[in-house]
Amino acid sequence: MRAVDALMACLKAEGVDVVFGLPGGANLPTYDAFVDAGIRHILVRHEAGGGHAAEGYAKATGKVGVAFATSGPGATNLITPICDAMMDSVPVVFITGQVRTELLGTDGFQEADTIGITMPVVKHSFMIQHPQELPRAIHEAFHIARSGRPGPVLVDIPQDLSRAEIDYEPVGDVRLPGYQPRVEGNQKQIRQAAKALAAAQRPVIYAGGGVVNANGSEELIEFATSDRFPVTCTLMGLGAFPAPHAQWLGMLGMHGTRAANYAMDEADLICAVGARFDDRITGKLSEFAPRAKFIHIDVDPAEISKNVPAHIPIVGDAKHVLAKLVVEYRATGADPARLNAWWTRIEGWREKYPLGYEDSTDSEIKPQYMIKALFEATGGEAIVTSDVGQHQMWAAQYYDFPAPRRWINSGGLGTMGFGLPAAMGAAVGCSDRLVCCIAGDGSVQMNAQELATCAQNNIPIKVFIMNNGYLGMVRQWQELFWDGRYSHVDMGQFPDFVKLAEAYGVTGMRLEDKGTLVEDFKRAIATDGPVLVDVRVTREENTYPMIPAGQPAREMVG
Amino acid sequence: MGEPGTKEPLSLEELEAATNLRTGRKHVLSILVENKSGVLTRIAGLFARRGFNIDTLTVGPTDDEAVSRVTLTVDGAVHPIDQVTKQLHKLVNVLKIRDLEPGDTVSRELALFKVAADGVQRGELLQIAEIFRGKVVDVTKRAIIIEVTGTTEKIAAFETMVRPFGLIEMMRTGEIAISRGRTET
Ligand SMILES: Cc1ncc(C[n+]2csc(CCOP(=O)(O)OP(=O)(O)O)c2C)c(N)n1
Ligand SMILES: [Mg+2]
């Protein structure tokens, strides 16, 4: 059979039920194979939309997402999603067409050095040099993408090789002697961690996206509640620990709660799980958690002691390690009463500094209220994707995520335009769930073309644009740190999003009244098919509280 | 480990953080890699984007044709070697990394020196070469090429000695290293 037909067989063997992509000359053979393959393919309108859709699918389902593109511009359009998937450890396999082998290196039509361009931002990549290699490469790509610390893997297939005949035999194993991720965790280290936790007077659990990736949420809850350990999550970890919980401190970091950031600041022991001490968490590194010792649990050894030296390093995934840690911890017989004073202190911060904002006295919709209203209208049960900016931070602060894989956003790369296509992918992967996108009026324009994809395929995402007419987060920084000298952040009221929605064949709505917002949201959600809602909010509202970049947690403002 | 848990107490004060972040000395990393296209680019690219400098780098075949050996030296005063090796390990084509202990390692480099030799100093130059057990591999009227093998330090010392004669050109291979005794590197 042709190599491309074997490719389809491999995708099926990997359990792929949907592919996002867009064809071109170099992957014509692949697209010919789709005709008879019986694999659902969703034609996107821009490869970046396809890449982010594959990410959204992967984050919502926990399975590997798949995106296809042709050579040259098709492949370069994938760079942002590939980099995004790398930064946020999202398992996606990207399959690109390449020019014929005889043209390689000659600047042939639509030739780009895809392997070279993507090398810094992939977990691994395969350049197919012989058609017979293709099946094994595909299976290895899926294995690498999903195991250990997940990430993007790219397979580049020259056009002539993709249509060549091969002897296809199903591949049952992978041969990757240089790739052996460790998930179990060293028992001795885990016991040491349990002892340290038993000795701690002011412990904090700091959990990140690694807990979600490892499907370790239940283990996290069990561990945290085996005593009264306070828990905070990063932007990527939201939902790993249920927000409405007595031990929940809220998100930490630049726009986290004071309770979470102050607890980190005063902690004597921080147990980091699947989190990487990003600068948006630590602020000024030299003054980060100055009194704390660190247990660092991560499946990627290179994260341990990269930014903050660990006292007890544990290489393993959150699920396995936490399951063992709870057993060890229970055996220490530690006395929960030792944490009373610590909780009194934390309660003090919670009472004194709750998340809050000044509501409008008229019908104006405050952006924070918009999120609360959406939480109410969805009963907190939606999968929520977001773009990047102020709306993202408010969504993270005010939508209390009760479970993992409900909050899907671009944390590491901070990619505007992520939310809409990611919602599309999540909705395709989880067709039984409501999927909402909280979009920025700036961000949404970066991938609005996928509304056509949603309309054509009746993918019923509900997109709520927090429309402040600004590149709001940049405006906020210019206001606070650049003397209010606004430079190119005002977008006016363009475009008319309702008309845009209608042009794409999507239901459009505009909402401007706080009084009916919850009901209006319910109406949008009850509307069949994709809906785009233009929500007009306060134009110049700032996201608080905030640790100014490079400052320590103690310097939180707002 | 048998039974879980222990009631043996621990004081947080006893805990020590990882401190080997900067070792302050030169490290020779001996890396076995799969002999596949692009592997060297992956290694070089990793060093470049993480801001690690490679001092020397050599690549060659091993007794297994599917495997190549990369030997590279990095300054542990400037770079956290632990982080360098962990990042290298993340490359799927990297099979094994040894951070060779200086005391347990034999390392060699080969260098070729092209030195001006038109004058009366020719004899003196040959004498120096002999002391360093250098080999004269080419002689013309105006220049001599001397081959020197040894540790990086020896080659550097030779360079200092011959530079005053008029060093026209020098080429060094970069270090290769092998562990002492019976164990494989
Ligand atoms: C692709 C891209 N370009 C630029 C930025 C820088 N940036 C960060 S937030 C932001 C403003 C986003 O505006 P909008 O989507 O309207 O969200 P808001 O902050 O107003 O809620 C910009 C421009 C980015 N994150 N991504
Ligand atoms: Mg905006």
Side-chain angles (χ1 to χ4, degrees):
Chain A
M1 71 171 63
R2 294 175 305 177
V4 283
D5 298 314
L7 164 64
M8 296 296 149
C10 294
L11 295 180
K12 282 188 185 163
E14 290 291 345
V16 172
D17 51 22
V18 65
V19 167
F20 300 91
L22 197 149
N27 62 3
L28 273 170
T30 312
Y31 274 79
D32 184 69
F34 268 121
V35 174
D36 299 322
I39 294 177
R40 185 173 182 200
H41 175 280
I42 292 179
L43 171 65
V44 296
R45 299 303 191 263
H46 187 296
E47 290 85 353
H52 292 313
E55 286 189 274
Y57 171 91
K59 288 193 186 204
T61 62
K63 296 193 279 186
V64 179
V66 185
F68 276 64
T70 189
S71 67
T76 56
N77 275 349
L78 282 178
I79 303 298
T80 303
I82 294 173
C83 191
D84 193 273
M86 187 68 173
M87 291 290 269
D88 285 346
S89 309
V90 191
V92 180
V93 170
F94 294 91
I95 299 180
T96 48
Q98 182 54 276
V99 298
R100 300 194 308 276
T101 40
E102 68 191 31
L103 290 174
L104 280 172
T106 67
D107 304 316
F109 176 63
Q110 294 198 324
E111 180 184 5
D113 176 9
T114 306
I115 292 286
I117 295 171
T118 57
M119 199 171 276
V121 292
V122 292
K123 183 171 175 188
H124 193 56
S125 52
F126 295 87
M127 176 79 200
I128 302 302
Q129 290 171 316
H130 191 284
Q132 196 68 42
E133 297 167 7
L134 184 62
R136 178 165 294 281
I138 295 298
H139 290 299
E140 290 178 349
F142 274 82
H143 176 71
I144 293 169
R146 74 162 76 86
S147 57
R149 178 179 182 174
V153 181
L154 182 131
V155 184
D156 198 28
I157 316 174
Q159 200 257 22
D160 53 327
L161 303 188
S162 72
R163 64 198 300 182
E165 289 290 321
I166 63 168
D167 297 324
Y168 172 62
E169 271 182 45
V171 179
D173 61 334
V174 292
R175 288 188 215 133
L176 296 164
Y179 178 74
Q180 317 276 346
R182 282 179 289 159
V183 297
E184 292 290 337
N186 177 298
Q187 191 70 37
K188 215 167 120 193
Q189 292 291 91
I190 293 173
R191 179 167 298 176
Q192 183 78 347
K195 284 161 69 174
L197 285 156
Q201 303 292 313
R202 298 185 309 280
V204 178
I205 299 174
Y206 148 51
V211 179
V212 179
N213 281 339
N215 295 317
S217 181
E218 273 175 41
E219 288 76 7
L220 174 65
I221 296 166
E222 194 180 344
F223 164 56
T225 54
S226 67
D227 201 329
R228 287 190 306 147
F229 294 125
V231 183
T232 179
C233 286
T234 65
L235 180 68
M236 300 312 296
L238 293 179
F241 193 77
H245 191 288
Q247 285 163 237
W248 172 242
L249 303 183
M251 179 174 78
L252 82 165
M254 182 174 272
H255 292 292
T257 64
R258 275 193 163 75
N261 284 325
Y262 289 0
M264 293 288 281
D265 184 60
E266 291 191 11
D268 64 353
L269 182 70
I270 289 172
C271 181
V273 197
R276 60 186 176 85
F277 296 90
D278 175 78
D279 57 273
R280 287 299 193 255
I281 298 300
T282 62
K284 190 174 184 179
L285 199 56
S286 60
E287 291 178 38
F288 171 66
R291 300 152 192 87
K293 307 277 173 154
F294 294 95
I295 299 168
H296 195 170
I297 302 165
D298 206 291
V299 73
D300 179 359
E303 284 306 337
I304 298 176
S305 299
K306 184 182 81 177
N307 294 340
V308 172
H311 298 78
I312 305 178
I314 302 175
V315 178
D317 82 10
K319 188 180 186 72
H320 287 87
V321 174
L322 291 176
K324 292 179 183 169
L325 183 56
V326 73
V327 176
E328 291 288 343
Y329 182 71
R330 288 210 172 100
T332 62
D335 178 11
R338 78 188 187 290
L339 303 181
N340 288 350
W342 183 220
W343 272 110
T344 308
R345 185 121 182 98
I346 291 171
E347 290 297 351
W349 293 321
R350 273 181 170 167
E351 263 164 51
K352 195 160 169 208
Y353 309 108
L355 278 178
Y357 62 97
E358 207 177 308
D359 205 357
S360 60
T361 49
D362 51 15
S363 63
E364 186 181 41
I365 302 169
K366 284 278 181 164
Q368 300 91 333
Y369 178 70
M370 171 181 162
I371 307 295
K372 289 184 130 183
L374 189 65
F375 181 81
E376 199 181 324
T378 56
E381 285 298 315
I383 292 176
V384 176
T385 73
S386 101
D387 279 317
V388 170
Q390 293 181 310
H391 61 282
Q392 174 192 27
M393 292 301 124
W394 282 314
Q397 290 176 336
Y398 289 96
Y399 199 103
D400 289 335
F401 292 96
R405 301 198 182 281
R406 300 282 182 84
W407 167 239
I408 294 173
N409 83 132
S410 166
L413 194 62
T415 308
M416 287 173 70
F418 172 86
L420 195 155
M424 182 169 90
V428 168
C430 303
S431 52
D432 55 334
R433 288 204 86 89
L434 169 63
V435 179
C436 298
C437 169
I438 297 174
D441 52 325
S443 299
V444 78
Q445 296 184 60
M446 292 200 181
N447 273 315
Q449 76 285 344
E450 299 312 327
L451 286 172
T453 312
C454 293
Q456 187 183 13
N457 296 281
N458 194 26
I459 301 171
I461 59 170
K462 315 298 172 195
V463 182
F464 299 90
I465 301 174
M466 183 181 283
N467 189 348
N468 52 16
Y470 275 119
L471 295 170
M473 188 57 96
V474 181
R475 184 205 59 73
Q476 173 170 343
W477 283 53
Q478 289 177 350
E479 180 192 326
L480 298 180
F481 310 117
W482 297 86
D483 298 330
R485 286 158 55 87
Y486 288 174
S487 177
H488 303 280
V489 287
D490 190 341
M491 295 180 291
Q493 290 304 344
F494 301 97
D496 181 329
F497 285 112
V498 174
K499 281 191 184 153
L500 184 74
E502 285 163 0
Y504 275 120
V506 165
T507 306
M509 291 168 70
R510 175 164 298 123
L511 303 178
E512 298 172 279
D513 183 355
K514 168 175 94 180
T516 58
L517 196 60
V518 175
E519 288 316 307
D520 291 336
F521 278 172
K522 285 186 178 161
R523 199 157 46 82
I525 290 163
T527 305
D528 283 340
V531 180
L532 186 72
V533 189
D534 176 15
V535 188
R536 296 292 172 91
V537 300
T538 313
R539 290 206 71 202
E540 300 197 9
E541 182 82 7
N542 287 339
T543 311
Y544 287 126
M546 175 177 198
I547 307 175
Q551 298 283 314
R554 276 286 151 199
E555 305 299 323
M556 277 206 104
V557 297
Chain B
M1 291 297 290
E3 286 291 292
T6 167
K7 291 200 166 53
E8 185 191 328
L10 175 148
S11 156
L12 292 185
E13 301 306 314
E14 294 167 30
L15 295 176
E16 293 204 17
T19 50
N20 53 347
L21 299 181
R22 298 274 190 291
T23 59
R25 65 170 172 87
K26 179 181 98 174
H27 286 254
V28 180
L29 302 181
S30 185
I31 307 165
L32 286 179
V33 299
E34 288 180 283
N35 189 6
K36 291 192 172 162
S37 78
V39 176
L40 198 58
T41 320
R42 286 180 206 272
I43 293 178
L46 166 65
F47 273 71
R49 84 177 163 273
R50 297 265 170 198
F52 306 145
N53 282 320
I54 301 176
D55 289 338
T56 70
L57 174 97
T58 66
V59 193
T62 64
D63 44 28
D64 177 350
E65 65 175 28
V67 175
S68 302
R69 183 179 303 277
V70 177
T71 307
L72 56 82
T73 57
V74 195
D75 187 351
V78 187
H79 304 301
I81 294 301
D82 177 59
Q83 188 50 214
V84 173
T85 55
K86 282 169 164 179
Q87 292 294 348
L88 279 169
H89 265 301
K90 286 174 69 166
L91 298 177
V92 171
N93 302 127
V94 168
L95 299 171
K96 189 177 151 196
I97 303 173
R98 280 271 309 261
D99 178 2
L100 295 170
E101 284 295 327
D104 296 336
T105 307
V106 178
S107 61
R108 288 290 179 271
E109 188 174 356
L110 185 145
L112 296 172
F113 293 86
K114 186 183 288 182
V115 190
D118 6 36
V120 282
Q121 302 161 322
R122 211 176 252 258
E124 203 182 328
L125 184 60
L126 292 175
Q127 240 174 3
I128 294 171
E130 201 170 311
I131 294 168
F132 279 81
R133 288 197 219 149
K135 236 197 284 174
V136 174
V137 290
D138 185 62
V139 185
T140 57
K141 267 197 185 135
R142 305 192 48 205
I144 295 183
I145 300 176
I146 303 164
E147 171 193 317
V148 184
T149 312
T151 62
T152 298
E153 293 73 23
K154 173 177 160 185
I155 288 167
F158 186 74
E159 183 194 337
T160 317
M161 294 302 292
V162 298
R163 200 169 264 290
F165 292 87
L167 183 57
I168 299 165
E169 204 171 28
M170 171 184 79
M171 296 199 187
R172 298 171 64 160
T173 57
E175 240 176 307
I176 54 167
I178 196 163
S179 65
R180 291 183 191 275
R182 182 74 176 78
T183 51
E184 282 178 33
T185 305

